[in-house]
C-alpha cells in the first residue's frame, strides 16, 4: 500500500485591506513580512539604516501590489518639513537651453526623494509671490529674479530650509547661483571687435519679460568696447524684415542677435533682402542650438555652460541638510564663443 504523505496546510496569506479602504504602511508590512519601521526606511530611502536588497524588493513589490504610496502630509508632520522643492514657473519663454537645464534638475532632485513643484502666481511677483509660495511649506525654493530679502525671510519663517536665488547678484539671506548675462554679450562683442567691427547692432527682443536677460547682454557688448546700436525685434517675420532693412540702410556690418533663435530669424530676413552673411553683415547668436549648425552659413554663437542637474541637486540637498549654513555664492554661468561661418 502506498502511503500518501500528509500535505502541510498552506500558510495563510496576510489579510489585504477591505475593498475601498486606503492601504496603509501596516498593510504593506504584513504583506511583505517585515516591520512598519522597515517599510518606512525602504520607502523613504533612509540611508542611515542598512536594508538588504531582497527585503527592499519585497517591500516595493508589496507596496505596488496594494497600490500604497506614502502619505506626504503625515511624513511632513513627522519630519517637521515637506520634501517639496519649489521652482517658480518661468513667466517668459526660456528657450531650449534653460528648459533642458530645468528638466535635468527636476529629474536629479526626484532621484534624491524630493518632490519638485513648478508654481506660478498670476499677477504676483517678488515678495508678494513669496507669500503664496510659502503656503506650500517647501523645504527649498529656487527663487526667481526680483525676490528681495523680505520675501526670502518669509519663506524661511514658513519652514524653507534653503532659499537659492538665480540671478546676476546675491540677495541678503539667500544662497546665490550667479548667472550674469553680461558675460554672454561681452564675449560676443569681443569676437566681433576682433573681426574688425567697431559698430555693432544688438538685437533686443520686444517680447515682454525677456529684458532680464537681454539688458545685461546689451551691457556686456558695450563693455567689449564696441559702439552699440540697439535693434528692438519682435519674434516674427514682419519685424525681422524691418530690422534687416534698418541694418542694411545704416551700414551696420555686424549684429549680436540676443540668442540663436533671433539670430536665425534675422539672418533669414537679411538674406531675403539681398544681403550676404557674413560678407555684408556678420551675425552671431547665443545658446549654441543644434539648428544653428544646420544653417548655411553655419551660425556663430556663444555657448553657455551651466552646472549639471546632478551637481545642482546635490547642492540643494546639502543646503537643506544644513539650514544654518552661511549663505553660499556660486558663479554657475560660463560663456565661450563658437566661431563658425556667419562671422
Amino acid at each position: 500500500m502506498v502511503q500518501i504523505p500528509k500535505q502541510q496546510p498552506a500558510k495563510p496569506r496576510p489579510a489585504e485591506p477591505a475593498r475601498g479602504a486606503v492601504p496603509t504602511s501596516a498593510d504593506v508590512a504584513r504583506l511583505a513580512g517585515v516591520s512598519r519601521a522597515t517599510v518606512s526606511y525602504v520607502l523613504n530611502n533612509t540611508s542611515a539604516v542598512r536594508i538588504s536588497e531582497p527585503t527592499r524588493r519585497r517591500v516595493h513589490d508589496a507596496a505596488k501590489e496594494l497600490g500604497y504610496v506614502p502619505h506626504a502630509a503625515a511624513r511632513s508632520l513627522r519630519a517637521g518639513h515637506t520634501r517639496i522643492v519649489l521652482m517658480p514657473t518661468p513667466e517668459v519663454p526660456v528657450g531650449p537651453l534653460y528648459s533642458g537645464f530645468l528638466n535635468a534638475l527636476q529629474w536629479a532632485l526626484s532621484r534624491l526623494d524630493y518632490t519638485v513643484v513648478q508654481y506660478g502666481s498670476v499677477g504676483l511677483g517678488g515678495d508678494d509671490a513669496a507669500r503664496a509660495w510659502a503656503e506650500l511649506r517647501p523645504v527649498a525654493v529656487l527663487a526667481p529674479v526680483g525676490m528681495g530679502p523680505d520675501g526670502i525671510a518669509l519663506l524661511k519663517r514658513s519652514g524653507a530650509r534653503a532659499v537659492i536665488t538665480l540671478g546676476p547678484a546675491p540677495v541678503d539671506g539667500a544662497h546665490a547661483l550667479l548667472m550674469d548675462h553680461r558675460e554672454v554679450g561681452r564675449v560676443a562683442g569681443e569676437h566681433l571687435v576682433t573681426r574688425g567691427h567697431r559698430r555693432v547692432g544688438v538685437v533686443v527682443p520686444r517680447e515682454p519679460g525677456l529684458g532680464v536677460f537681454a539688458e545685461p547682454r546689451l551691457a556686456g557688448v558695450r563693455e567689449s568696447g564696441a559702439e552699440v546700436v540697439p535693434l528692438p525685434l519682435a519674434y516674427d517675420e514682419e519685424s525681422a524684415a524691418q530690422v534687416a532693412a534698418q541694418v542694411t540702410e545704416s551700414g551696420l556690418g555686424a549684429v549680436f542677435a540676443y540668442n540663436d533663435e533671433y539670430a536665425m530669424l534675422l539672418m533669414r530676413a537679411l538674406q531675403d533682402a539681398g544681403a550676404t552673411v557674413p560678407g555684408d553683415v556678420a551675425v552671431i547668436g547665443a545658446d549654441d542650438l543644434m539648428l544653428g549648425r544646420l544653417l548655411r552659413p553655419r551660425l556663430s554663437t556663444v555657448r553657455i555652460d551651466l552646472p549639471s542637474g546632478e551637481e545642482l541637486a546635490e547642492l540643494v540637498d546639502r543646503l537643506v541638510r544644513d539650514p544654518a549654513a552661511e549663505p553660499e555664492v556660486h558663479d554657475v554661468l560660463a560663456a565661450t564663443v563658437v566661431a563658425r561661418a556667419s562671422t
Side-chain angles (χ1 to χ4, degrees):
M1 183 176 67
V2 178
Q3 291 185 342
I4 301 176
K6 293 182 179 180
Q7 294 182 347
Q8 294 295 325
K11 187 176 180 179
R13 180 180 175 84
E16 296 185 0
R19 184 178 297 275
V22 177
T24 67
S25 61
D27 299 321
V28 176
R30 282 193 294 270
L31 185 56
V34 299
S35 68
R36 290 185 67 179
T38 298
V39 171
S40 177
Y41 293 145
V42 171
L43 297 184
N44 290 323
N45 291 322
T46 302
S47 59
V49 180
R50 294 180 62 85
I51 306 292
S52 69
E53 191 56 36
T55 300
R56 288 183 179 278
R57 284 198 298 271
R58 289 207 312 276
V59 171
H60 284 296
D61 289 345
K64 183 176 180 180
E65 181 177 342
L66 295 174
Y68 171 79
V69 292
H71 195 300
R75 183 169 62 180
S76 299
L77 287 173
R78 289 193 298 271
H81 57 79
T82 69
R83 296 289 290 178
I84 292 174
V85 175
L86 186 63
M87 296 173 56
T89 303
E91 297 180 357
V92 297
V94 292
L97 175 69
Y98 285 95
S99 294
F101 167 70
L102 294 175
N103 288 339
L105 174 58
Q106 290 185 67
W107 175 250
L109 284 168
S110 69
R111 291 174 63 87
L112 293 175
D113 197 34
Y114 291 98
T115 299
V116 178
V117 175
Q118 283 200 346
Y119 188 76
S121 300
V122 177
L124 296 178
D127 295 345
D128 290 333
R131 295 182 178 86
W133 299 333
E135 294 179 5
L136 297 179
R137 297 297 190 267
V139 71
V141 177
L142 297 180
V145 174
M147 183 169 293
D150 290 344
I152 289 165
L154 175 62
L155 288 167
K156 287 185 172 182
R157 288 196 300 271
S158 73
R161 298 166 69 89
V163 180
I164 305 163
T165 60
L166 297 168
V171 180
D172 288 345
H175 304 285
L177 300 178
L178 299 184
M179 293 185 176
D180 189 351
H181 285 261
R182 287 179 303 174
E183 182 69 5
V184 178
R186 186 185 64 78
V187 298
E190 289 179 349
H191 172 72
L192 295 174
V193 168
T194 60
R195 292 294 197 273
H197 302 288
R198 301 298 176 184
R199 189 162 170 262
V200 174
V202 178
V203 165
V204 180
R206 291 184 180 273
E207 279 62 37
L210 291 181
V212 68
F213 304 108
E215 291 172 9
R217 294 185 183 190
L218 176 65
V221 178
R222 287 197 173 101
E223 290 178 4
S224 72
E227 178 188 346
V228 170
V229 179
L231 300 170
L233 172 63
Y235 196 69
D236 60 62
E237 290 182 302
E238 181 180 356
S239 180
Q242 294 170 354
V243 171
Q246 180 183 350
V247 169
T248 56
E249 290 169 5
S250 64
L252 281 171
V255 174
F256 168 52
Y258 172 66
N259 70 8
D260 287 352
E261 293 171 295
Y262 284 84
M264 289 184 276
L265 177 67
L266 179 59
M267 198 162 83
R268 179 74 268 173
L270 286 167
Q271 292 170 333
D272 287 346
T276 62
V277 178
D280 295 319
V281 184
V283 178
I284 184 171
D287 294 354
D288 193 18
L289 301 185
M290 172 62 76
L291 190 56
R293 306 174 204 178
L294 306 180
L295 297 181
R296 294 298 180 270
R298 288 183 173 89
L299 181 65
S300 293
T301 189
V302 177
R303 176 185 293 136
I304 298 173
D305 294 314
L306 298 171
S308 70
E310 289 80 5
E311 290 173 327
L312 186 49
E314 290 172 2
L315 173 64
V316 171
D317 184 55
R318 177 169 62 79
L319 297 178
V320 165
R321 294 175 186 275
D322 187 12
E326 289 295 318
E328 297 184 12
V329 177
H330 300 270
D331 194 341
V332 297
L333 186 151
T336 54
V337 168
V338 181
R340 299 195 181 103
S342 68
T343 54

